[in-house]
Each structure stands twice: as structure tokens, then as C-alpha cells.
Amino acid sequence: MARLVKVGAAQLGPIQRADSRSSVVERMLVLMQKAHVQDCNLVVFPELALTTFFPRWYFEDTAEADTWFESSMPSVETQPLFGAAKRYGMGFHLGYAEKVEEQGAVHRYNTAILVDPSGTIVGKYRKVHLPGHAQFDPKRKFQHLEKRYFEVGNLGFRVWRMLGGIMGMCICNDRRWPETFRVMGLQGVEMVVLGYNTPTTNSQSDEPPQLRAFHNRLSMQAGAYQNSSWVVGVAKAGREDGHELMGGSAIVAPTGEIVAEAHTLEDELVVATCDLDKCAFGKQSVFNFAAHRRIEHYGLITQQTGAVLPE
Amino acid sequence: MARLVKVGAAQLGPIQRADSRSSVVERMLVLMQKAHVQDCNLVVFPELALTTFFPRWYFEDTAEADTWFESSMPSVETQPLFGAAKRYGMGFHLGYAEKVEEQGAVHRYNTAILVDPSGTIVGKYRKVHLPGHAQFDPKRKFQHLEKRYFEVGNLGFRVWRMLGGIMGMCICNDRRWPETFRVMGLQGVEMVVLGYNTPTTNSQSDEPPQLRAFHNRLSMQAGAYQNSSWVVGVAKAGREDGHELMGGSAIVAPTGEIVAEAHTLEDELVVATCDLDKCAFGKQSVFNFAAHRRIEHYGLITQQTGAVLPE
């Protein structure tokens, strides 16, 4: 008996700094409608899906960046997404900048949520691996100030039962870290959904765009294969106010094979039917963790943050 | 100032059960001579390089398998390899089955050594991730009895300074586990050398050979990229007594790109000049561990061996 989840990876083309949230939500609703026509059970939107990728902009006073944050979810602007989910009986995943008051202080996170087919938020993730830097860096070709605007996520890498399977989330740079997928793999994850805003060029080097596209695929494929899980990675793509973001939204099978991939840098729905039962073979053979992992030799992974060179 | 190591990945074609160690060492000496002519600094031989891949054979009494083990290294048969290393001023890496008496008991390991250009053993590694099974399994198309003949390695994933860089080792199935590379990455590894004997088909499924070849590359490329290290993976390839082993020996750059790859299933020397300084960019940017890793969220990796599913 197959456990089928039909997924729509809802890539978004560029969002300019001047674009309103409502105009973006309109585009997202078009993608949800397309997904509904194709009988999708789940739509996956990118990281920070409601606005331009604002961490490229430097603000002396970080509070000036608050205009890019959501202080409630759903909000007036995003409520239609939840309405569409309920109307279509279709879950969705959404990334956004979260401003929240917790324990008497204001916190800002790069956040994603998992919404079930009734339109209810069932899971929240806050980005752990924040790339970039916290201070203006004149040596870079462009700024990548995630460490300035966001705190490190405090929710860890959890999983949730939804759509008959075990779902996990991560965000953008998290996908490059095998720890991300392994922590979810150790909870039996069967589908990891993630969004990204990844510049086409490196701010500090002349890495060619195709090498960076390869790293995107390599990270998601390795995470899928090594945990025998589906991985759905969704880009915000194209040219935002002169800054290029890569595309390459992809649905990756538990074998590490890409089964569907975006071919534009625009709003595009990439659809695949994912059989969660396909996770079982890898989890029971090569990646039967209980049979093969040897945690007594992994100590450094959790004991030590940075590299320590031998004498 | 570049730190160049010219590496010869010395793939071996099949070794039949009837082949003597001396005949294999003769073939290895030919590859070392070829490497010397090309000014290599290091030659990397496969896992269990001196014999056929014997864990495919079942022996009721495991002591009957002792014929495949080395009880000294160098031995009479392997001494010529050490002599050649010294003569050529060239290091090498060799995998073999090790039988050793330690703490009053006999132990058997799937072992690899690192030998420096003076012909001295400077490092030893014992395979941690033993694949396969310990008992005869009639449901499999062929046996893979590593868990029967070997104990889990007890030396961890160490690194050694050699040839001006930081070298690490692992063996075959270890390469599929990101923990392997990460533990060495946390010690600043700049080149991981490894050998493998990987069946072309899966003993429990109909996985196509090209998918298994993809997994070989994917694992090595992810390990290289995610730790910004060179990876040199070397196969024993071809048809051993009717059992097919994959080839695909490869030298992988710290970017994850394959810079040289075998194109036969026979004895073949794959050569590339590896600049260890190319590791620095990744280690200082995307994979600057000190800046980006968040060990407070990695706990399950070392707390828990097997997967534990959510309620």
C-alpha cells in the first residue's frame, strides 16, 4: 500500500523591494490554484517568501528592517493562503521573517511553518544555520546580513506527522549541513521541505554559477540519500533589484535522484507524486541506523563547534 | 604558495580467490612504478587490497577465514611495497584484513594504513561502519559478511600530518556516512583517502548499477564539499569469481567536483595534482565551522544510535 503525497514545489520568481506583500500573495494563490488543479496534497513555498531577500540590504538600526518582518501569522495579507489551503484541502509550507515577543523580549527569526490541509499551523521551524555576517562588510561584492537581522533558531530540527507521513523542515543554508538532515533522519523523517534564497554568485569569490547550482543539488541529494527521505527544495529565483538568485527548485527521491526540477527563474510549479513508502528500503538496509551507526566514534560532532587542528 | 600533492588513485582490477598475495603485490608494484614515473607523492590502494573480497564467502567457523588476514604488516609478501615507497620517496595507503592480538585476545579488523615516503607506517584506521550481516542470509542474492568477520574499529576517525597537509582515512561503507567526514573535518582534514569493494548490484534489491555508481560519487562528493577537503576514493573493480564490483575510482576536489575518474574495471592509475591550499576557501567561508555550526541542536547525533519515531 503506497503512501502517496503529491507535492507542488512552488518556486517564486523575483520579488522586488517595492513589491507589496499582497501582490506576492496573489502570485502564491495562482500557484496554489495550479497545484489544486493537479490534485496536490502539499505546496512548498520558498524561504522569506513574502518579500524581497532583504538581508542583502544594510540598515544601521536593525529596527529599520522591521518592515520585512511578520508579527502575526496568519496576518491580514497572508490569510488568503490559509483560506485556499482549507478550501482545497491542501497543506502548505511557507517561509517568512518572524518578529515575536517571547519571555519579555523581542526576537527575530528566519522562520518556516507547516500548515495542514485544514489550514492550521501544525509545525514551526526557525533557521539554525544562519549564513553571512552581522556587520557591514565592504570587502564583499554584496551584503548577506542574516547574522545581523536574525537570531539563531531555538526550536531545533523537529518532525511532525502530517499527510500520513513524517515531515521535517529546514531553511536554505541548513541544507548544506549534514547535521540538519541527520537529526531529522534520527526521528524517521520521510519528507524534508525547505526553501532557499541563494545568490547565483558568491559575495567573496568568483565561484561560477554552475558550481553553486551543483552545490545546491549535491546538498539536497546527499541529505535525501543518506537519510532515505524525500527532499523538496524550493527557490526564490531570478533578479531582485539587480541581485541574481539561483533557481533549481527540485524534488529529490530517497535514492538521492532528482525526480522533478524547475527550468525557469520565474513563478513555476514543479510537481511530483512522492511515495513515502519508498523511504523504507534505505532506512532498513544501508541506512538502518540502529544496525550500523557507531555513536561512540562521533563525539566531536557535538563536543566541538569549530575545527581543532592536530599538533 | 600552493601545497601540491600529486596523488595516484591505484584502482585494482579483480583478484580471484585463487590469486596469491605475491601476484597481487606484483600488480601493485607496477602501479607504484607508473605513479613514480608521473612524480606522484602518494599512491592510494583499495580496501582489502591483497586478496579477493572474501566477505562474500561464508565460513561456518570464522577461523577458516584467517587465510585472508594479515598477522603482520609489513609481511614477507607486502615488504616490497614498503621498499618501493622508500625507493621512490612516495607515500601510500593500503587496505587489508588485520588479525591482531591485543589485551590477551585475538581481534580481526578491516584495516587501512598510511605509509609515509620513508616507508614508515604513520597511521592506522580500522573500519567503523561495517555493512552487511553476521549470519548466513539465504534471502540475499549473495552474502556480505563483514559483520561476521570483523569487529567494529576501535581507533575512531583520526587525522595525521603528512606530505605537508592533514590526512585522514576511512574505508568503503564509511564514505556513505556524513559523520565519518565530519569528525575528520572537525580536525581540519585536507585529504581523505579511502578504498572500497562495492558490489555492482545490491544483494537485497534490483537497484540498477548506475544508481549505485551515483551513490558512490554522491557520498564522496558530499563528504568533500561539506568539509572542504580532497577525497580520494579507490575501487577494487571488476568480476571476482563471478561477482561484479563497481569501479569509478575518483579524485574529488574540496568543491565536490570530480577532477579525475577511472574509466576501466581493471588495474588503472588515476592521477591528479591536489593543491591542499584549495581547502582554505570553503573552510573559511560556507563551512567555517566555528562561525556557523550549532552543536546545541545536534544532540541526537551522538545520543541516539537508531531512529526513534514521533508519536
Side-chain angles (χ1 to χ4, degrees):
Chain A
M1 195 191 75
R3 286 180 296 141
L4 304 180
V5 177
K6 194 163 184 181
V7 177
Q11 178 172 291
L12 289 175
I15 301 174
Q16 308 308 326
R17 198 170 169 174
D19 292 348
S20 70
R21 278 173 181 71
S22 297
S23 71
V24 177
V25 168
E26 279 302 315
R27 289 162 55 186
M28 297 169 82
L29 289 171
V30 169
L31 289 165
M32 287 181 88
Q33 209 271 333
K34 284 186 183 177
H36 170 62
V37 167
Q38 295 188 59
D39 293 320
C40 287
N41 310 108
L42 178 68
V43 167
V44 181
F45 290 113
E47 174 193 33
L48 300 175
L50 300 168
T51 69
T52 195
F53 184 68
F54 67 85
R56 71 170 68 93
W57 306 113
Y58 176 77
F59 300 99
E60 179 80 25
D61 177 0
T62 57
E64 284 187 60
D66 276 355
T67 177
W68 309 108
F69 284 76
E70 314 301 316
S71 49
S72 63
M73 184 59 63
S75 57
V76 173
E77 292 98 336
T78 54
Q79 181 58 52
L81 301 172
F82 292 78
K86 187 173 179 181
R87 193 162 64 248
Y88 298 146
M90 188 168 73
F92 72 92
H93 165 90
L94 172 71
Y96 63 98
E98 178 189 19
K99 182 181 171 187
V100 63
E101 196 170 320
E102 282 179 352
Q103 297 172 320
V106 172
H107 303 276
R108 294 173 183 81
Y109 298 104
N110 188 337
T111 293
I113 50 172
L114 198 57
V115 178
D116 76 9
S118 76
T120 306
I121 296 173
V122 295
K124 179 181 279 190
Y125 169 73
R126 290 167 173 163
K127 188 172 182 178
V128 164
H129 297 100
L130 297 170
H133 49 111
Q135 301 303 325
F136 187 84
D137 182 354
K139 292 193 302 295
R140 292 180 187 244
K141 285 175 276 183
F142 51 88
Q143 304 298 299
H144 198 113
L145 291 156
E146 290 194 54
K147 285 195 197 292
R148 182 174 187 83
Y149 297 124
F150 303 116
E151 289 179 52
V152 171
N154 60 350
L155 301 176
F157 298 102
R158 295 182 56 200
V159 301
W160 296 268
R161 288 197 181 271
M162 191 173 114
L163 297 170
I166 302 175
M167 316 286 296
M169 292 185 271
C170 68
I171 299 178
C172 193
N173 182 48
D174 286 319
R175 73 196 185 289
R176 304 183 194 274
W177 298 84
E179 292 89 345
T180 297
F181 292 100
R182 183 61 96 230
V183 172
M184 290 188 273
L186 283 163
Q187 299 168 79
V189 77
E190 295 176 310
M191 180 177 285
V192 176
V193 296
L194 68 101
Y196 55 89
N197 283 259
T198 302
T200 302
T201 56
N202 187 303
S203 66
Q204 302 177 93
S205 79
D206 295 325
E207 268 182 345
Q210 71 272 22
L211 179 59
R212 293 172 58 78
F214 164 65
H215 289 160
N216 175 46
R217 287 194 301 272
L218 177 64
S219 299
M220 296 196 292
Q221 292 182 285
Y225 168 60
Q226 292 175 332
N227 296 280
S228 200
S229 171
W230 292 90
V231 172
V232 181
V234 183
K236 183 140 62 65
R239 194 175 177 88
E240 293 190 341
D241 296 298
H243 295 268
E244 307 276 358
L245 297 172
M246 69 170 67
S249 299
I251 299 175
V252 186
T255 56
E257 294 167 293
I258 293 172
V259 298
E261 194 167 19
H263 61 279
T264 74
L265 296 175
E266 299 165 11
D267 291 5
E268 178 181 351
L269 189 74
V270 177
V271 174
T273 300
C274 305
D275 181 356
L276 301 182
D277 283 344
K278 295 280 189 196
C279 301
F281 177 68
K283 289 181 191 292
Q284 290 165 8
S285 58
V286 174
F287 297 109
N288 178 336
F289 293 163
H292 302 307
R293 294 182 79 244
R294 303 302 315 190
I295 59 175
E296 71 273 27
H297 294 305
Y298 304 159
L300 291 189
I301 293 171
T302 47
Q303 283 162 24
Q304 182 179 310
T305 298
V308 177
L309 307 195
E311 289 187 359
Chain B
M1 194 191 72
R3 286 180 295 140
L4 303 180
V5 177
K6 194 164 184 180
V7 177
Q11 177 172 291
L12 289 175
I15 301 175
Q16 308 308 327
R17 198 170 168 174
D19 291 347
S20 70
R21 278 173 180 72
S22 297
S23 71
V24 177
V25 168
E26 278 303 313
R27 289 162 54 185
M28 296 169 82
L29 290 170
V30 169
L31 289 165
M32 288 181 88
Q33 208 271 332
K34 283 187 184 176
H36 170 62
V37 168
Q38 294 187 59
D39 292 321
C40 286
N41 310 108
L42 177 68
V43 167
V44 181
F45 290 114
E47 175 193 34
L48 301 175
L50 300 168
T51 70
T52 196
F53 184 68
F54 67 87
R56 71 170 68 93
W57 305 113
Y58 176 75
F59 300 100
E60 179 80 24
D61 177 359
T62 58
E64 283 187 60
D66 275 356
T67 178
W68 308 109
F69 282 76
E70 315 301 316
S71 50
S72 64
M73 185 59 62
S75 57
V76 173
E77 292 98 335
T78 54
Q79 181 58 51
L81 301 171
F82 293 78
K86 188 173 179 179
R87 194 162 63 250
Y88 299 145
M90 188 168 74
F92 73 92
H93 165 90
L94 173 71
Y96 63 97
E98 178 190 19
K99 182 181 171 188
V100 65
E101 196 172 319
E102 281 179 354
Q103 298 174 319
V106 173
H107 301 277
R108 293 172 184 82
Y109 298 105
N110 188 338
T111 294
I113 50 171
L114 198 57
V115 178
D116 77 9
S118 76
T120 305
I121 297 174
V122 296
K124 179 181 279 189
Y125 169 73
R126 290 167 173 162
K127 188 172 181 177
V128 164
H129 297 99
L130 297 171
H133 49 111
Q135 302 303 325
F136 187 84
D137 181 355
K139 293 194 301 296
R140 290 178 188 247
K141 286 175 276 183
F142 51 87
Q143 303 298 300
H144 198 113
L145 292 155
E146 289 193 56
K147 286 195 196 289
R148 182 174 188 82
Y149 297 125
F150 303 116
E151 289 178 52
V152 171
N154 60 351
L155 301 176
F157 298 102
R158 295 182 55 202
V159 302
W160 296 269
R161 289 197 180 269
M162 192 173 112
L163 297 170
I166 302 176
M167 316 285 296
M169 293 185 270
C170 67
I171 299 179
C172 193
N173 183 49
D174 287 320
R175 74 198 186 287
R176 304 184 194 274
W177 298 84
E179 292 90 344
T180 297
F181 292 99
R182 182 62 96 226
V183 172
M184 292 188 271
L186 284 163
Q187 299 168 79
V189 77
E190 295 175 311
M191 180 177 285
V192 176
V193 296
L194 67 100
Y196 56 88
N197 284 258
T198 302
T200 302
T201 56
N202 187 304
S203 66
Q204 302 178 93
S205 80
D206 295 323
E207 269 183 344
Q210 71 273 20
L211 179 58
R212 292 172 58 78
F214 163 65
H215 290 159
N216 175 47
R217 288 194 300 273
L218 177 63
S219 298
M220 297 197 291
Q221 292 182 286
Y225 167 60
Q226 293 175 331
N227 295 280
S228 200
S229 171
W230 292 90
V231 172
V232 181
V234 183
K236 182 138 65 63
R239 194 174 176 88
E240 293 190 340
D241 296 299
H243 295 267
E244 307 275 0
L245 297 172
M246 70 170 66
S249 301
I251 300 175
V252 186
T255 55
E257 294 167 293
I258 292 172
V259 298
E261 195 168 17
H263 61 280
T264 74
L265 296 175
E266 299 165 11
D267 292 5
E268 178 181 351
L269 190 74
V270 178
V271 175
T273 300
C274 305
D275 182 356
L276 301 182
D277 283 345
K278 295 281 188 195
C279 301
F281 177 68
K283 289 181 191 292
Q284 292 164 8
S285 58
V286 175
F287 297 108
N288 178 338
F289 293 163
H292 301 308
R293 293 182 81 244
R294 302 303 313 194
I295 59 176
E296 72 272 27
H297 294 305
Y298 304 160
L300 290 189
I301 293 172
T302 49
Q303 284 162 24
Q304 183 178 310
T305 298
V308 178
L309 307 195
E311 289 184 1

